[in-house]
């Protein structure tokens, strides 16, 4: 027969499963074992400290809702963590840690209940009894400039953002519109601007809000007859950051109220920062008068980062989490996941979770296994990045050296081979290949291809390079 902890946990799991992705559910919740239910205290066992920290940081709200749904408001959660016994290798022991009751500040998208401010103004963010300066900016401290790696993919947006951070409302970047595909850092960068402003101009009122939440608050204000309060509230902000403005598409009333708030703030020299998942020209369902306002300032896009930047991002993440990982594993991850940064981080986290769960070392074979699961069935396209990596490995060169201006024979040959294979195996133009190979022009690439073709016919040694690299490229592509 099932004990009460087990059946309670089963109900919790049903609820949890409905609220998160399949992948997260399997990774984080299936490995949990219910141990004991003591009155309103549920004790669950998690496989490692890493699991415990991860769950506390990312899923505690969900877990709390699930448990209080079953046990009522004052339900409590205690973790048992399986610890590796480092002295002898007998049975692992467990430690008990109560769930912290810290407010989950890290997630900027948590909704804040509507409160009534001291001055009687109903507004969605203010904390009762506190003045304007104490508005909670809803900024995530992890999304700082310091944690935002610079690369060719984000240079303009980042430096414009930094300028705005130093001098909000005082640059020509008003509004600053940051756009780009999912997972490329729009939310991160918009928080970074807010954090920078809070840091350098503590007197300014900064507010980050997603367009979705803004819309919801607006609808609520209509329902509660507090539209004026809503507008007033937003009009007293010094720096307004609205994330994912594409959400306003097709919502005329929301666009209308936003238009008025926008004009008011802009006239007063207040700063607006907006993000969108597409360029302004592609924002269908958005009123012309709003679109033309967006063009008053600067629109800057975020692109997919190149291999070097992806490696730097992974390194930075590992460093700030205090985790060490072999260079080859990091590189493997960075050149396998080319879609966006969120997926890159997702892959990294899965590897950490797997290694923690199964007490396995993080090495290339674990990484390969995980990546195969991740990027399954999508045959990896050979990219210029990938070709450069294979060539560098083959000649035991660093990527910097390959793409430098060095004229040393061995390096020149490696560089020419990378260009030759890029032309042969990708659809990139000569100009693009040159650009990615250290900013060379199309004529250099053309010359490289000709040289390689000549040398293959005349130089036996060189021919073997070409054959071996071809094999490696094919092999690793599988
Ligand atoms: P978007 O809002 O464009 O969908 P996010 O801002 O949520 O993307 O970024 C996705 C993830 O990638 C976040 O965890 C973020 O910290 C990380 N990230 C994005 N760009 C960078 C960067 N340049 N350096 C470091 N981390 C980044
Ligand atoms: Mg975002």
């Amino acid at each position: 027969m099932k004990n009460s902890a087990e059946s309670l946990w089963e109900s919790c799991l049903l609820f949890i499963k409905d609220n998160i992705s399949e992948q997260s559910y399997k990774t984080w919740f299936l490995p949990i074992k219910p141990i004991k239910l003591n009155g309103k205290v549920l004790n669950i066992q998690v496989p490692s400290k890493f699991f415990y920290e991860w769950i506390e940081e990312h899923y505690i709200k969900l877990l709390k809702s699930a448990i209080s749904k079953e046990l009522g408001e004052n339900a409590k959660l205690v973790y048992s963590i399986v610890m590796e016994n480092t002295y002898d290798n007998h049975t692992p022991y467990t430690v008990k840690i109560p769930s912290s009751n810290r407010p989950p500040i890290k997630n900027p998208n948590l909704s804040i209940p509507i409160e009534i401010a001291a001055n009687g103004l109903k507004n969605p963010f203010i904390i009762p009894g506190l003045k304007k300066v104490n508005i909670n900016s809803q900024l995530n401290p992890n999304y700082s400039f310091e944690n935002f790696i610079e690369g060719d993919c984000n240079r303009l947006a980042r430096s414009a953002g930094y300028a705005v951070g130093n001098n909000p409302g005082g640059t020509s970047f008003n509004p600053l519109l940051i756009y780009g595909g999912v997972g490329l850092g729009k939310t991160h960068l918009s928080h970074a601007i807010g954090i920078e402003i809070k840091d350098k101009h503590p007197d300014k009122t900064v507010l980050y809000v997603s367009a979705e939440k803004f819309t919801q608050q607006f609808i609520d204000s209509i329902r509660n007859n507090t539209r004026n309060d809503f507008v007033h509230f937003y009009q007293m902000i010094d720096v307004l950051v609205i994330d994912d403005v594409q959400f306003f598409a097709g919502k005329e009333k929301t666009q209308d109220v936003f238009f008025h708030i926008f004009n008011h703030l802009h006239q007063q020299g207040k700063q607006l920062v907006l993000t969108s998942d597409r360029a302004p020209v592609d924002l269908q369902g958005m009123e012309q008068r709003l679109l033309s306002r967006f063009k008053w300032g600067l629109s800057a896009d975020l692109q997919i980062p190149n291999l070097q930047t992806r490696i730097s991002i992974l390194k930075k993440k590992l460093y700030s989490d205090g985790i060490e990982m072999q260079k080859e594993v990091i590189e493997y991850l960075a050149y396998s996941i080319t879609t966006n940064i969120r997926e890159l981080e997702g892959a990294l986290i899965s590897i950490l979770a797997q290694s923690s769960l199964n007490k396995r070392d993080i090495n290339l074979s674990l990484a390969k296994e995980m990546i195969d699961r991740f990027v399954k069935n999508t045959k990896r396209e050979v990219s210029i990045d990938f070709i450069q990596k294979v060539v560098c490995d083959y000649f035991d060169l660093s990527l910097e050296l390959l793409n430098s201006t060095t004229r040393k024979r061995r390096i020149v040959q490696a560089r020419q081979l990378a260009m030759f294979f890029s032309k042969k195996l990708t659809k990139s133009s000569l100009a693009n290949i040159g650009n990615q190979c250290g900013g060379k022009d199309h004529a250099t690439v053309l010359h490289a291809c000709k040289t390689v073709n000549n040398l293959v016919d005349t130089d036996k040694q060189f021919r073997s390079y070409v054959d071996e690299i071809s094999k490696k490229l094919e092999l690793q592509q599988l």
Side-chain angles (χ1 to χ4, degrees), residues 259-275:
F259 180 73
H260 288 293
I261 292 170
F262 183 107
N263 285 341
H264 180 94
L265 293 177
H266 200 272
Q267 263 164 24
Q268 312 268 318
K270 305 296 172 62
Q271 179 71 44
L272 289 122
V273 177
L274 313 170
T275 80

Side-chain angles (χ1 to χ4, degrees), residues 107-352:
N107 185 342
N109 292 321
L110 290 178
S111 62
I112 306 293
I114 293 189
E115 304 274 11
I116 304 195
N119 57 5
L121 199 71
K122 265 195 191 148
N123 77 55
F125 288 108
I126 216 160
I127 298 158
L130 300 179
K131 287 201 228 73
K132 170 185 157 179
V133 282
N134 288 316
I135 285 175
N136 180 342
S137 294
Q138 313 288 315
L139 294 167
N140 177 345
N142 289 329
Y143 285 168
S144 59
F145 271 113
E146 212 215 317
N147 289 338
F148 191 81
I149 301 286
E150 183 173 358
D152 290 340
C153 56
N154 60 32
R155 203 163 324 270
L156 174 66
R158 188 189 171 283
S159 49
Y162 196 71
V164 166
N166 275 297
N167 190 7
T171 66
S172 52
F173 311 144
N174 198 13
L176 174 62
L177 175 71
I178 301 160
Y179 67 93
V182 298
L184 293 182
K186 302 181 293 295
T187 298
H188 187 143
L189 186 53
S190 68
H191 278 260
I193 297 169
I195 292 169
E196 195 66 21
I197 295 173
K198 294 283 291 178
D199 196 37
K200 298 213 167 114
H201 307 267
D203 53 316
K204 297 238 185 262
T205 315
V206 179
L207 181 68
Y208 166 91
V209 63
S210 67
E212 185 175 358
K213 194 195 250 175
F214 179 93
T215 307
Q216 193 52 51
Q217 289 173 349
F218 173 61
I219 295 170
D220 288 347
S221 81
I222 305 268
R223 194 180 305 131
N224 302 329
N225 238 328
T226 55
R227 184 184 185 277
N228 283 345
D229 290 346
F230 173 85
V231 174
H232 272 126
F233 171 73
Y234 275 98
Q235 286 181 342
M236 61 180 201
I237 305 291
D238 297 319
V239 178
L240 180 60
V241 182
I242 302 210
D243 201 1
D244 288 319
V245 292
Q246 77 278 357
F247 188 83
F248 288 153
K251 302 186 174 64
E252 278 169 36
K253 294 241 167 58
T254 313
Q255 286 183 35
D256 192 52
V257 77
F258 176 58
F259 180 73
H260 288 293
I261 292 170
F262 183 107
N263 285 341
H264 180 94
L265 293 177
H266 200 272
Q267 263 164 24
Q268 312 268 318
K270 305 296 172 62
Q271 179 71 44
L272 289 122
V273 177
L274 313 170
T275 80
S276 158
D277 71 355
R278 61 206 83 162
V281 286
D282 299 323
L283 274 168
Q284 254 116 49
M286 203 70 103
E287 278 185 52
Q288 213 46 52
R289 55 181 188 160
L290 255 187
L291 285 180
S292 81
R293 292 294 186 278
F294 292 174
K295 288 180 199 142
W296 283 358
L298 175 77
S299 302
D301 67 336
L302 295 176
Q303 299 276 345
I304 294 176
N306 63 18
L307 180 67
Q308 206 50 53
T309 310
R310 295 200 296 276
I311 291 176
S312 308
I313 290 174
L314 285 175
K315 281 191 180 156
K316 175 88 197 175
K317 270 229 69 76
L318 288 164
Y319 181 79
S320 44
D321 289 349
I323 298 167
E324 276 188 40
M325 200 180 264
Q326 291 158 26
K327 189 164 162 269
E328 51 176 4
V329 179
I330 299 176
E331 288 180 354
Y332 183 78
L333 264 173
Y335 78 74
S336 304
I337 309 244
T338 55
T339 38
N340 67 56
I341 302 164
R342 192 172 300 140
E343 293 212 346
L344 193 62
E345 289 183 350
L348 177 66
I349 288 156
S350 296
I351 291 177
L352 296 178

Side-chain angles (χ1 to χ4, degrees), residues 5 44-45 52 64 73 124 145 153 178 181 272 291 326 452 465:
I44 58 174
Q45 181 186 299
Y52 152 75
K64 283 238 164 81
E73 274 310 308
F145 271 113
C153 56
I178 301 160
L272 289 122
L291 285 180
Q326 291 158 26
V452 171
Y465 293 161

